[in-house]
Amino acid sequence: MNSVNDRNRDIGPFVPAPDDDMLICRCEEITKGEIRKAVHDGMWTLTEIRRYLRTGMGLCQGQTCSKLVKSIVARELNVSPAELEPATSRVPMRPIEMRIFANEAKEDDDYE
Amino acid sequence: MKRYDLIIVGAGPSGLSAAVEAAKRGMEVVVFDENEKPGGQLFKQIHKFFGSKEHRAKVRGFNIGKQLLEEAAEAGVKVVLNATVIGLYQDKEVVVKIGEEIHHYKGDSVIIATGAAENMVTFPGWTLPGVIGAGAAQTMMNLHGVKPGKKVLMLGSGNVGLVVSFQLMQCGCEVVALVDAATRVGGYGVHAAKVARTGVPFYLSHTIVEAEGDECVTGVTIAEVDSSFKFIPGTEKHFDVDTICLAVGLSPMSQLLKMAGAKMEDNPKRGGQVPICDEYGRTSLPGVFVAGDVSGIEEASSAMIEGRMAGIVAAEYLGYTDEDDMNRNVESLEKALDGLRQGMFAPENRGKLVEKTEEGIDVSMNLLKKGYVADDEIERYPGVTHKVGIHPVMECTQNIPCNPCQDACPKKCISIGDNITSLPIVVPESECINCGMCVASCSGQAIFLVDEDCGDGTATVTLPYEFLPLPKEGAKGIALGRNGKKVCDAEVVNVRSAKAFDKTNLLTMRVPKEYAMKARFFRATV
Amino acid sequence: MTERRIEEHPILGVQEKGKKITFTFDGKEVEGYEGEPIAAALKAAGLMVHRYTKKEHKPRGIFCAIGRCTDCVMVVDGVPNVRTCITPLKEGMDVKTQYGASDKPFDV
């Protein structure tokens, strides 16, 4: 197990910072402070953070903030961002209405 | 479920190039792109590209885009637009949203050419309307004909920040400052120099403290940062702007590959999460290939070559071509790609301070810190020589893979030699006929024709000019130095436009002869 | 709507436009060109704020201009969350500022 997932590691207490109110996830309006706190609440992976705070779960699906969130979490855990596994990629890759998502085309090649 | 020999995701430079090569070899190819128009970012690139003839150097990006679309149409490539690929599965099933329906396709091979997304940086006020990505600026001005703002501050001195700053000025915006937290200009020196000489100040080791405004941006404050990127109190500078443009790098858009289960790595040299692949774009998934920025951030020129490689390799994978054809073609493409990956900005030099040119000449530190080569530095470069009569002065001071100037001169006055990154030299005993082809051919706008002594106490300087309104013969104004500051009064004595110059006008100004080697831009007095 | 439009470009020349049409922004008539993105027409008209966010009620406008960031979404013809930077403008379109996910302003 690499150190990123070693939950026995002491990352110290949450220390408030002057820029904690900086908005990071533009869609869900999540701040840097909330993300940092979440790490100290035990959310050490990007997938956990995403479920816990909804960062990257809004309309844009993390297109804008995922790299920013990753670097904040990495700094809080005192690891390099490259060591953090990115959050899962899954269908649909782009915002899409449920009615369209459920609307399977009948013909195979009818887009022309 | 419809089956294709090859499904390509992304109709940008790499995806289209891949499609052309695959279709030429008999594959049934479809390209899906989520945008309304094909060509990716090429149609937003209005500057002349670097490279050599085989890389279509000195051709403007959008014209390369047009050529590529024609080539794709000729090869019989099917491009489906407004088609958003929302999923890719391990067995190469591609799920696409087209119109209001979801379609499933099976590709016997798949090429992912989804390109890159812009990185962002945060500061108080970064969500205000008026803070935009550099790509957004390009989209608005170069595709939709709308100015991104009146007064713009650019954050980022990489090639995107430099090129977009120039484009903003070309469409009539004022760029008040170019800011970067890094200590050195990140992009090509020639791109920086053409921005700096128009008077845009560069603030390296600076970044944005705050964007101001309630409903939208009305101003911005920047400040100097120390080596740990902390603001230095007392160094704040304020600008009234309505637009802040962010050009802080790109990240590969590789999520589809991760979704499909391709082996990935985090590689800062390639710009982030990228699939592990070989030099031809083969990923860990058999039959799934990558090309372009999705596997590492580079230029459009290299993306097109990578695309061609991936197309050929995909054709070989399904038996549409044999190993011989593949090896022969891929080898020559590899050579072309290697050519682009040479010089000071080669991938292995990313982030490094290169202090000497390949010729052993000191690199201009002013260029790296302020965006221009200082007057006392310029003489040390081999393109800068003196002689009686009109002669080219090539202010090309970094080793970059580019050589159109040596082919442009009909009199063979300019030589780069076989090494594409060498600095251009003036061929001794050659005779300049003042045709201006070199000035127009230089993608970096770094060549000037100078007559240092016209015999009446004046000199003439011919410079590339790509702004409107185009000054007329007889127009009076001021000459600006490389640093964008006034050096003397000047008068326009000639303006040349020609089809062969491809929209680069040649403006000749008369200045007192002592300023012949200092005056590098003209501004008309209103 | 001229000063924010690029009438003539030194490299691209005079860009071709669609038909000049009228649409409404929060009920007011605005001119634009058919087929250009709604966001381009709004920008040319000097209209910067597309929406106010749900939690903080903060203004947002064009950010990426290529349909990625979804910051420019508005209520178009009654449909919320329409990405105006990639949705072509049509004659008579009803474009409204989006508050959270609605076209009704927040109670102050």
Side-chain angles (χ1 to χ4, degrees), chain A residues 45-90:
Chain A
T45 68
L46 293 170
T47 300
E48 284 167 344
I49 293 276
R50 192 161 84 168
R51 295 213 172 124
Y52 193 64
L53 295 175
R54 286 196 56 79
T55 49
M57 300 273 272
L59 260 189
C60 93
Q61 288 293 292
Q63 294 282 333
T64 316
C65 72
S66 56
K67 208 166 184 172
L68 298 170
V69 174
K70 194 177 185 184
S71 70
I72 293 167
V73 173
R75 199 167 309 140
E76 215 56 33
L77 290 172
N78 202 17
V79 297
S80 133
E83 290 178 66
L84 287 180
E85 178 75 12
T88 313
S89 298
R90 60 166 73 82

Side-chain angles (χ1 to χ4, degrees), chain B residues 63-138:
Chain B
N63 286 324
I64 295 177
K66 281 184 201 163
Q67 292 168 5
L68 197 51
L69 285 185
E70 281 165 22
E71 213 185 329
E74 257 170 51
V77 171
K78 177 149 109 190
V79 180
V80 186
L81 299 169
N82 296 311
T84 309
V85 173
I86 58 168
L88 172 68
Y89 296 103
Q90 202 153 12
D91 51 359
K92 299 191 278 285
E93 182 184 330
V94 180
V95 187
V96 195
K97 178 200 159 216
I98 299 169
E100 305 229 308
E101 288 182 328
I102 300 299
H103 297 248
H104 297 256
Y105 300 96
K106 161 82 185 171
D108 288 330
S109 60
V110 172
I111 297 177
I112 301 298
T114 41
E118 288 184 278
N119 294 340
M120 287 304 157
V121 59
T122 58
F123 45 84
W126 79 292
T127 59
L128 276 174
V131 179
I132 58 172
Q138 283 195 312

Side-chain angles (χ1 to χ4, degrees), chain B residues 34 44 46 120 127 129 131-133 136 141-142 144-148 150 170-171 214-215 466 468 503, chain C residues 3-6 8-12 15 17 37 40 43 48-49 52 59-66 68:
Chain B
E34 63 182 324
K44 302 172 193 174
I46 61 171
M120 287 304 157
T127 59
V131 179
I132 58 172
M141 63 189 170
N142 297 339
H144 305 310
V146 177
K147 291 179 198 172
K150 278 197 190 93
Q170 287 182 302
C171 84
D214 295 325
E215 291 288 283
E466 294 188 353
L468 287 177
K503 311 275 183 186
Chain C
E3 64 178 34
R4 294 181 193 89
R5 298 266 183 195
I6 303 161
E8 194 184 349
H9 191 284
I11 309 301
L12 300 167
Q15 280 151 295
K17 290 276 167 205
K43 177 88 196 162
M48 299 289 287
V49 180
Y52 291 89
R60 296 284 173 84
I62 297 170
F63 187 54
C64 82
I66 51 170
R68 296 275 153 68

Side-chain angles (χ1 to χ4, degrees), chain C:
Chain C
M1 60 190 237
T2 51
E3 64 178 34
R4 294 181 193 89
R5 298 266 183 195
I6 303 161
E7 293 303 309
E8 194 184 349
H9 191 284
I11 309 301
L12 300 167
V14 180
Q15 280 151 295
E16 274 177 42
K17 290 276 167 205
K19 198 173 80 178
K20 196 182 256 190
I21 53 137
T22 308
F23 66 103
T24 61
F25 168 74
D26 286 344
K28 292 183 294 284
E29 284 205 346
V30 184
E31 281 187 337
Y33 291 100
E34 188 171 65
E36 71 179 347
I38 298 168
L42 293 173
K43 177 88 196 162
L47 300 164
M48 299 289 287
V49 180
H50 289 221
R51 67 179 181 112
Y52 291 89
T53 60
K54 190 176 164 191
K55 270 195 205 167
E56 307 284 339
H57 301 187
K58 293 287 192 219
R60 296 284 173 84
I62 297 170
F63 187 54
C64 82
I66 51 170
R68 296 275 153 68
C69 76
T70 66
D71 249 334
C72 69
V73 298
M74 300 177 84
V75 182
V76 177
D77 290 334
V79 180
N81 290 335
V82 172
R83 288 175 286 171
T84 55
C85 69
I86 53 164
T87 304
L89 184 67
K90 289 187 198 123
E91 170 82 54
M93 251 180 179
D94 174 27
V95 178
K96 285 189 168 138
T97 304
Q98 182 168 319
Y99 301 84
S102 143
D103 60 358
K104 306 273 180 303
F106 302 112
D107 297 326
V108 186

